[in-house]
Amino acid sequence: VPGGAEGVQRAGFEARPHRFRTRPFPAPPWPGTDLLKPVTSRTALHRIGVELKNCLATPRWLAQAVLKVLNGTVYFYEWRGEQRALLQFVRLQDIGWYLEQIESVDGEDISEMSQKAVIETCLGSPVMCACQQTGFDSAFRDKILSAVT
């Protein structure tokens, strides 16, 4: 085999991308609402990336995001409120999911009014925590403390 064991390993890895493209996303951690919809497929995630003009419109970033979803560490939701946005939730062991990133068109931050609407929506979920490093840290801390005490 050309390249020895490394060549075999590389050939096996190069054959896998098709499997990643066709593998279904796991069930969302929360069904969402009319305004906050889980992104349940690679095709939908790419479409939203193109529409919002963000990094998920590019194959490399899309592939990385899809792998994280398939691995169960990340899940994306689409915010369909007044200001459209894509939300990335990260799994925190068995405690739940916290909002790591939220972006509107062209990677812009969402308005404070939209942030509040997202938080209100996520309050209806026992597993989702809508907080970011840039704000609402106390909501995240309270949710974690209530889960471990």
Side-chain angles (χ1 to χ4, degrees), residues 84-142:
R84 211 167 148 224
L86 185 65
L87 289 69
Q88 178 181 325
F89 287 90
V90 175
R91 186 176 187 171
L92 182 62
Q93 295 183 356
D94 61 347
I95 294 173
W97 297 76
Y98 74 94
L99 180 61
E100 184 177 70
Q101 187 175 13
I102 182 169
E103 291 182 355
S104 189
V105 177
D106 287 326
E108 294 291 321
D109 291 336
I110 64 169
S111 69
E112 188 173 328
M113 187 170 83
S114 291
Q115 283 182 6
K116 288 179 181 179
V118 167
I119 288 170
E120 280 184 35
T121 300
C122 289
L123 286 174
S125 165
V127 296
M128 307 301 271
C129 185
C131 54
Q132 289 184 275
Q133 295 174 351
T134 56
F136 309 105
D137 288 327
S138 63
F140 179 55
R141 187 171 36 255
D142 291 346

Side-chain angles (χ1 to χ4, degrees):
V1 176
E6 184 180 318
V8 170
Q9 196 172 33
R10 190 176 317 117
F13 184 76
E14 290 170 359
R16 291 184 196 138
H18 174 71
R19 292 170 65 191
F20 295 131
R21 281 192 294 275
T22 59
R23 192 162 207 69
F25 277 14
W30 184 53
T33 67
D34 289 340
L35 292 176
L36 188 61
K37 297 283 188 187
V39 181
T40 59
S41 72
R42 180 187 194 281
T43 302
L45 188 59
H46 183 251
R47 176 188 50 79
I48 294 165
V50 169
E51 291 171 2
L52 295 181
K53 301 176 189 165
N54 69 26
C55 63
L56 296 175
T58 64
R60 179 174 164 235
W61 288 103
L62 178 64
Q64 289 178 358
V66 168
L67 287 174
K68 290 177 182 180
V69 172
L70 293 175
N71 194 40
T73 57
V74 165
Y75 217 93
F76 291 91
Y77 282 74
E78 179 183 15
W79 177 251
R80 296 179 180 179
E82 181 180 322
Q83 186 180 15
R84 211 167 148 224
L86 185 65
L87 289 69
Q88 178 181 325
F89 287 90
V90 175
R91 186 176 187 171
L92 182 62
Q93 295 183 356
D94 61 347
I95 294 173
W97 297 76
Y98 74 94
L99 180 61
E100 184 177 70
Q101 187 175 13
I102 182 169
E103 291 182 355
S104 189
V105 177
D106 287 326
E108 294 291 321
D109 291 336
I110 64 169
S111 69
E112 188 173 328
M113 187 170 83
S114 291
Q115 283 182 6
K116 288 179 181 179
V118 167
I119 288 170
E120 280 184 35
T121 300
C122 289
L123 286 174
S125 165
V127 296
M128 307 301 271
C129 185
C131 54
Q132 289 184 275
Q133 295 174 351
T134 56
F136 309 105
D137 288 327
S138 63
F140 179 55
R141 187 171 36 255
D142 291 346
K143 195 157 194 169
I144 288 176
L145 289 175
S146 69
V148 296
T149 56

